[in-house]
Amino acid sequence: LVSVASGRTTTGGAPLPRGPAGPARFVQFGTVPSSRPLPASVLLPFLPEDRRRALANGADLPDPDEGTALFADLSGFTALTGVLADAYGPRRGAEELTRHLTRTYDALIHEVHARHGSVIGFSGDAITCWFGGDDGRAAIDAAHAMQRAMAGLPPVEVRGRGADELGLKVAAVHGTVRRFAVGDPAVQR
């Protein structure tokens, strides 16, 4: 089990092993049928960019940190869920929704990463991003780029209905934050 506490990613309470080239390439991750450790690269897609950089450098995330938080909420996906289920049935509708959501998130996340931001959370059809050390300009630039990326995506074609357009609402706030693990550390192990 991998957990995050005190600014360091750990495996079962122990720090990630380091070698001469940085963190180990393999990490024991839960119980694997083959009893072999999984490659650390399996975990990377689930770690925010700033956490990855900190791990690669053997550093903690700054606490407290100053920067800009950006919250982006997709509009139209909730209604689209029902439309796709009605048009294609629950299984294929869910597959179509996942395909469109993945395409959309890929475009949005690209714009965040291009401006050195990190996606730190997903909540339904919304993402929360952090731009550490930012005075607000990078986050606002990302917000505009995300809007342009949305405008460049093709509409969602639904059989028997035509096309549905999706939208994006974005908010940003600048200030000092603290990031830490919430909950009982014993449960996190």
Side-chain angles (χ1 to χ4, degrees), residues 84 88 96 99-100 103 154-159 161-164:
L84 290 171
Y88 299 113
E96 288 295 314
R99 186 171 65 82
H100 293 296
R103 179 186 64 199
V156 178
E157 298 288 336
V158 180
R159 178 180 65 205
R161 180 182 163 107
D164 279 42

Side-chain angles (χ1 to χ4, degrees), residues 59-82:
D60 290 337
L61 290 174
D63 182 31
D65 194 8
E66 184 158 327
T68 306
L70 180 144
F71 181 76
D73 183 40
L74 295 169
S75 59
F77 259 98
T78 303
L80 183 61
T81 301

Side-chain angles (χ1 to χ4, degrees), residues 138-151:
I140 297 302
D141 187 42
H144 288 288
M146 292 165 82
Q147 292 285 358
R148 288 189 301 273
M150 285 295 296

